[in-house]
């Protein structure tokens, strides 16, 4: 009888430990969810919308940031990190264009006149695009994604940082 009670007690402990282990495992978040969460942590309400393709070829999602109007981050989602890395290689260093090579080996260029300073980040299987100068947004994206892969300088301690006048934000 004592052995049965011990067996039941041990079995109960094992079941509890397994339940805790399963319950406490980190949730496997997508890269886009992590970007959204990083922006939420710095005080923005994030509303996600799916949009048709635009500048890049990934599946485009717009993260509209509130409170207030006019702030948004665009996230292009790719099947894997390799696809995102390949597409990121086409973005010009200044963030104002794309330089593709077509199937025939011909260069195909696209230039864009953004309304503000462009910033692009690569994070796992997504390319994050922010057009603007909000230091809080930029810091949150840099903290999550690392240094930007293309675009205008934004950190005041960066030697190449220049203050853009509104008329200078276009190429």
């Amino acid at each position: 009888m004592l052995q049965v009670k011990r067996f039941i007690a041990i079995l109960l402990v094992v079941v509890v430990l397994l339940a805790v282990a399963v319950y406490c495992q980190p949730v496997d978040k997508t890269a886009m969810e992590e970007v959204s969460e990083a922006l939420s942590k710095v005080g923005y309400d994030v509303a996600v919308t799916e949009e048709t393709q635009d500048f890049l070829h990934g599946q485009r999602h717009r993260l509209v940031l509130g409170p207030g109007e006019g702030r948004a981050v665009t996230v292009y989602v790719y099947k894997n990190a390799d696809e995102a890395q390949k597409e990121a290689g086409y973005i010009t260093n200044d963030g104002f264009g794309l330089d593709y090579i077509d199937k025939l080996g011909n260069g195909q260029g696209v230039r864009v006149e953004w309304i503000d300073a462009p910033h692009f980040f690569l994070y796992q299987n997504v390319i994050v695009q922010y057009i603007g100068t909000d230091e809080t947004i930029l810091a949150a994206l840099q903290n999550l994604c690392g240094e930007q892969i293309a675009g205008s300088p934004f950190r005041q301690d960066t030697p190449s940082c220049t203050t853009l006048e509104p008329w200078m934000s276009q190429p």
Side-chain angles (χ1 to χ4, degrees):
M1 185 71 170
L2 186 59
Q3 289 179 345
V4 172
K5 287 183 180 181
R6 273 192 195 151
F7 176 76
I8 291 173
I10 292 172
L11 184 62
L12 184 60
V13 168
V14 169
V15 168
V16 169
L17 289 175
L18 286 174
V20 168
V22 169
Y23 182 76
C24 293
Q25 284 186 356
V27 176
D28 185 21
K29 297 179 185 172
T30 66
M32 188 178 75
E33 289 171 331
E34 290 183 42
V35 171
S36 179
E37 186 176 279
L39 293 165
S40 293
K41 284 182 180 178
V42 294
Y44 292 102
D45 298 323
V46 180
V48 179
T49 63
E50 188 172 330
E51 298 185 358
T52 58
Q53 292 180 345
D54 188 28
F55 185 61
L56 300 172
H57 292 107
Q59 183 180 14
R60 182 179 187 215
H61 299 272
R62 191 164 173 84
L63 308 180
V64 180
L65 308 178
E69 293 183 26
R71 287 182 298 236
V73 171
T74 302
V75 178
Y76 295 92
V77 181
Y78 297 85
K79 290 181 184 175
N80 56 51
D82 290 338
E83 283 187 23
Q85 177 74 41
K86 181 179 179 184
E87 180 99 333
Y90 298 134
I91 303 170
T92 59
N93 288 338
D94 64 1
F96 284 98
L98 292 174
D99 289 330
Y100 286 103
I101 303 296
D102 67 15
K103 293 177 183 178
L104 300 174
N106 300 315
Q108 301 288 323
V110 176
R111 294 296 288 173
V112 179
E113 292 186 22
W114 303 114
I115 61 169
D116 209 335
H119 304 278
F120 291 88
F121 298 86
L122 179 63
Y123 182 67
Q124 296 177 10
N125 68 318
V126 300
I127 295 175
V128 180
Q129 170 190 340
Y130 171 60
I131 308 300
T133 56
D134 185 307
E135 293 281 334
T136 304
I137 294 170
L138 290 166
L141 294 175
Q142 185 176 24
N143 286 340
L144 177 66
C145 307
E147 292 293 324
Q148 69 181 10
I149 57 169
S152 301
F154 66 90
R155 291 183 37 200
Q156 295 303 316
D157 59 347
T158 302
S160 63
C161 183
T162 58
T163 304
L164 293 175
E165 296 296 327
W167 59 270
M168 292 176 62
S169 65
Q170 299 176 7

